[in-house]
C-alpha cells in the first residue's frame, strides 16, 4: 500500500526505496566500524531528486536521522567543504533535543576542529599557491638570480627570502590541516559514540547528496574528495545521486583522461 509520501509515484519507486533502506540497514549491521557510500546513477531529468527527497522522508518516518545536501544550490560558494561542514553543523544540531546538553559540547568541538582545515583551504584559494607552486616559483627565482647582473641581486635575494617564508607558512598550514583532519575525525567519532547511547536516536546517520552532476566539475570532485578524507567514519552512510557518465566527464576535466 502506498503512503502519502509516494502518492504521485507512477514508477513504483516506493518499493525501490524500501528495498534500498533494507539493503543499507543490513550493510550497516554487518559492518558498523566504517562508513558506506552508495551512488544512485541516472541521467539528468530521470527523477533522482524526487526519489532522494522521498527517500529522506521515508527514512525519517523510520526515525533515522537524515541530512540532505543540495550540491548545486551550494555551488555559488565556490568552496564545497565550507558549505558542506556548515550544513553538517546545522543539520546535526537539529537532531538533538534541548535536554541532550552534551551534544552542544561535542558539536562545538567538531566545528572548532574543522576551522583549521577550512582556513588552510581558503588560504590556498586566496593566494593561488600550493606549497609545490611556491617551491617551483623559488626555483625559478634562483635561476633568474644567477642570470642577472649584480645590480639586481639584492632585489632577487629579497624575493627569494619572501618566497621561502611563504613556503614555510604553506607547509605549516599543511601540517596543521593534516592534524586537524585527524582531530575532526576523532571528534566526529565521539559524537557518533554519544548518539549510540541515546534512546531517541539510532545509527546510521544518512547523508544524502543531490544534484552533483549539475555542479562545476572542480566543485563536484572537491566535494567527493572531502567526503573521502574527512568522513570515513563509522555510523555514516552517504547516498549520492548523480549521473555517473557526467561525473566521469567532470573527473576528466579536472584530472585529464
Amino acid at each position: 500500500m502506498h503512503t502519502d509520501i509516494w502518492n504521485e509515484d507512477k514508477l513504483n519507486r516506493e518499493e525501490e526505496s524500501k528495498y534500498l533502506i533494507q539493503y543499507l540497514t543490513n550493510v550497516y549491521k554487518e559492518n558498523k566500524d566504517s562508513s558506506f557510500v552508495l551512488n544512485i546513477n541516472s541521467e539528468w531529468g530521470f527523477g533522482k531528486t524526487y526519489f532522494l527527497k522521498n527517500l529522506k522522508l521515508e527514512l525519517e518516518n523510520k526515525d533515522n536521522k537524515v541530512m540532505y545536501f543540495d550540491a548545486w544550490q551550494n555551488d555559488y560558494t565556490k568552496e564545497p567543504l565550507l558549505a558542506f561542514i556548515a550544513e553538517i553543523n546545522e543539520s546535526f544540531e537539529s537532531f538533538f533535543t534541548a535536554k541532550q546538553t552534551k551534544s552542544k559540547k561535542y558539536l562545538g568541538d567538531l566545528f572548532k576542529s574543522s576551522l583549521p582545515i577550512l582556513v588552510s583551504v581558503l588560504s590556498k584559494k586566496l593566494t593561488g599557491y600550493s606549497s609545490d607552486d611556491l617551491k617551483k616559483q623559488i626555483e625559478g627565482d634562483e635561476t633568474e638570480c644567477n642570470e642577472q647582473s649584480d645590480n639586481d641581486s639584492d632585489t632577487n635575494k629579497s624575493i627569494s627570502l619572501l618566497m621561502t617564508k611563504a613556503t614555510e607558512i604553506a607547509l605549516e598550514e599543511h601540517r596543521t590541516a593534516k592534524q586537524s583532519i585527524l582531530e575532526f575525525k576523532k571528534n566526529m567519532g565521539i559524537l557518533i559514540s554519544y548518539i549510540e547511547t541515546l534512546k531517541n536516536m539510532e545509527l546510521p546517520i544518512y547523508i544524502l547528496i543531490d544534484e552533483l552532476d549539475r555542479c562545476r566539475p572542480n566543485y563536484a570532485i572537491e566535494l567527493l574528495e572531502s567526503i573521502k578524507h574527512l568522513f570515513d567514519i563509522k555510523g555514516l552512510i552517504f547516498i549520492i545521486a548523480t549521473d555517473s557518465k557526467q561525473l566521469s566527464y567532470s573527473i576528466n576535466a579536472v584530472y585529464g583522461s
Side-chain angles (χ1 to χ4, degrees), residues 10-255:
K10 307 297 182 184
L11 299 175
N12 198 33
R13 283 169 288 191
E14 180 181 14
E15 293 304 314
E16 292 177 355
S17 76
K18 289 180 178 178
Y19 171 81
L20 184 58
I21 290 170
Q22 186 60 52
Y23 169 74
L24 292 172
T25 300
N26 291 337
V27 165
Y28 175 69
K29 286 179 179 178
E30 291 175 7
N31 191 4
K32 293 186 177 182
D33 294 326
S34 65
S35 63
F36 185 78
V37 182
L38 178 92
N39 178 40
I40 296 176
N41 176 39
S42 180
E43 295 179 20
W44 187 84
F46 273 58
K48 294 191 297 296
T49 295
Y50 174 82
F51 180 78
L52 213 61
K53 286 185 175 180
N54 284 356
L55 181 65
K56 176 180 182 292
L57 296 174
E58 196 79 63
L59 286 165
E60 288 174 339
N61 278 352
K62 296 178 182 296
D63 295 325
N64 292 113
K65 298 301 179 184
V66 187
M67 169 188 153
Y68 178 88
F69 183 77
D70 188 324
W72 188 64
Q73 277 194 347
N74 288 279
D75 185 290
Y76 72 91
T77 63
K78 309 298 182 187
E79 181 42 63
L81 184 57
L82 181 62
F84 191 71
I85 287 181
E87 191 69 37
I88 283 277
N89 195 50
E90 184 177 341
S91 295
F92 276 47
E93 277 185 351
S94 69
F95 294 162
F96 301 98
T97 66
K99 292 182 179 180
Q100 292 163 347
T101 53
K102 286 185 179 179
S103 64
K104 291 184 179 179
K105 177 186 182 306
Y106 296 142
L107 284 168
D109 290 343
L110 181 67
F111 184 70
K112 287 177 184 175
S113 62
S114 72
L115 293 178
I117 305 169
L118 298 176
V119 168
S120 178
V121 170
L122 291 173
S123 175
K124 181 179 174 181
K125 294 285 184 182
L126 291 172
T127 62
Y129 285 114
S130 66
S131 57
D132 288 339
D133 294 331
L134 290 168
K135 182 180 177 183
K136 290 177 183 176
Q137 185 67 39
I138 290 170
E139 290 172 349
D141 286 342
E142 288 174 347
T143 301
E144 289 180 9
C145 283
N146 293 331
E147 293 176 350
Q148 290 177 349
S149 65
D150 293 339
N151 294 334
D152 296 329
S153 62
D154 289 342
T155 301
N156 286 317
K157 286 179 182 178
S158 297
I159 293 172
S160 183
L161 287 171
L162 179 63
M163 296 304 293
T164 301
K165 186 62 178 177
T167 303
E168 291 173 359
I169 293 170
L171 290 173
E172 182 59 33
E173 284 183 351
H174 173 74
R175 283 190 288 268
T176 301
K178 186 177 180 180
Q179 182 60 39
S180 298
I181 288 172
L182 296 175
E183 193 69 21
F184 179 89
K185 294 175 78 168
K186 174 187 171 184
N187 287 328
M188 179 65 86
I190 291 171
L191 181 63
I192 295 294
S193 297
Y194 171 64
I195 290 172
E196 285 182 303
T197 68
L198 302 177
K199 293 182 179 180
N200 71 319
M201 291 179 67
E202 289 188 8
L203 296 176
I205 293 174
Y206 290 87
I207 299 178
L208 313 185
I209 301 177
D210 197 12
E211 303 282 21
L212 202 61
D213 46 357
R214 296 181 68 185
C215 298
R216 290 175 288 108
N218 60 321
Y219 188 97
I221 301 305
E222 286 177 20
L223 179 57
L224 290 175
E225 286 177 340
S226 298
I227 291 169
K228 172 189 171 185
H229 291 297
L230 286 175
F231 295 93
D232 181 19
I233 300 165
K234 69 173 186 175
L236 301 180
I237 287 183
F238 293 85
I239 303 176
I240 299 169
T242 188
D243 180 352
S244 295
K245 186 176 181 181
Q246 188 63 43
L247 184 61
S248 71
Y249 293 148
S250 296
I251 293 171
N252 289 343
V254 175
Y255 293 115

